[in-house]
Amino acid sequence: MHSVEDKRAVKHSRLLMLLLFGLLTGALSGVILGLVMKLLGQLTGRGVYVLLLNVDFIGWLPSIRSELFEFLLHMSAALPLGILYLVLLRIWSSPLRLGLGMGVAIACCTWIPLTQLSERTPSTLDGASFMMWITGHLIYGSVLAALGYIWIMRGRDKE
């Protein structure tokens, strides 16, 4: 039989793995989303990367911010979303559907508010930019799914 301390140690170990792999999942998917948006923005001249990093509406932040600072703020959202994704895999049977669903949900829930909060971002009615926004977030969801499959193959979703 396992002692209470052994069970507690196993539980802590599982939680630590969830947190670490969740942070890795969030980091990798967030960085890839950032790179995709930056590439799309550079290729087309549309402000989708600016939209991704835009924090003009947060009044208490300094008015002069570097790209790195804004990207780190983007990552502060991406990291916990990676953990949330792995937690949701316990109840959602398809990593791909969950990943793509999260990507589309994030894209759709952020498009209108973020485009309306700054003059530097694309217009809400800019269909081409919206399609790039959706595409980038579908790639983001695909990265979540790929890492979700790894998580499941290691049996971590059952712990």
Side-chain angles (χ1 to χ4, degrees):
M1 258 200 221
H2 296 296
S3 71
V4 173
E5 287 182 23
D6 289 342
K7 288 180 182 178
R8 195 173 296 147
V10 168
K11 190 174 186 176
H12 283 104
S13 174
R14 289 177 179 166
L15 179 60
L16 181 61
M17 285 302 298
L18 172 74
L19 292 174
L20 291 175
F21 199 77
L23 290 173
L24 173 68
T25 299
L28 193 55
S29 59
V31 166
I32 289 175
L33 174 60
L35 291 172
V36 166
M37 291 300 181
K38 187 166 188 163
L39 178 65
L40 288 172
Q42 288 177 340
L43 290 174
T44 65
R46 297 188 183 274
V48 290
Y49 183 63
V50 171
L51 179 63
L52 184 70
L53 302 189
N54 184 45
V55 289
D56 291 351
F57 54 91
I58 303 176
W60 52 268
L61 290 175
S63 59
I64 299 175
R65 296 174 297 273
S66 68
E67 178 182 347
L68 176 61
F69 178 79
E70 289 182 348
F71 190 80
L72 290 174
L73 288 175
H74 158 73
M75 292 304 294
S76 73
L79 293 175
L81 286 172
I83 296 168
L84 176 63
Y85 173 78
L86 294 181
V87 168
L88 290 175
L89 271 181
R90 289 177 178 228
I91 58 174
W92 206 285
S93 61
S94 172
L96 184 59
R97 286 183 183 161
L98 177 59
L100 295 178
M102 281 183 67
V104 168
I106 292 166
C108 290
C109 290
T110 57
W111 174 255
I112 291 176
L114 292 179
T115 55
Q116 293 192 353
L117 290 171
S118 175
E119 297 296 320
R120 300 184 308 132
T121 60
S123 163
T124 303
L125 302 175
D126 182 345
S129 292
F130 179 69
M131 291 310 298
M132 288 178 219
W133 189 248
I134 293 289
T135 300
H137 283 83
L138 285 172
I139 293 168
Y140 163 83
S142 297
V143 175
L144 287 176
L147 292 164
Y149 279 113
I150 292 169
W151 183 251
I152 288 173
M153 289 177 63
R154 291 185 174 178
R156 299 290 187 191
D157 63 316
K158 303 296 184 221
E159 296 179 350

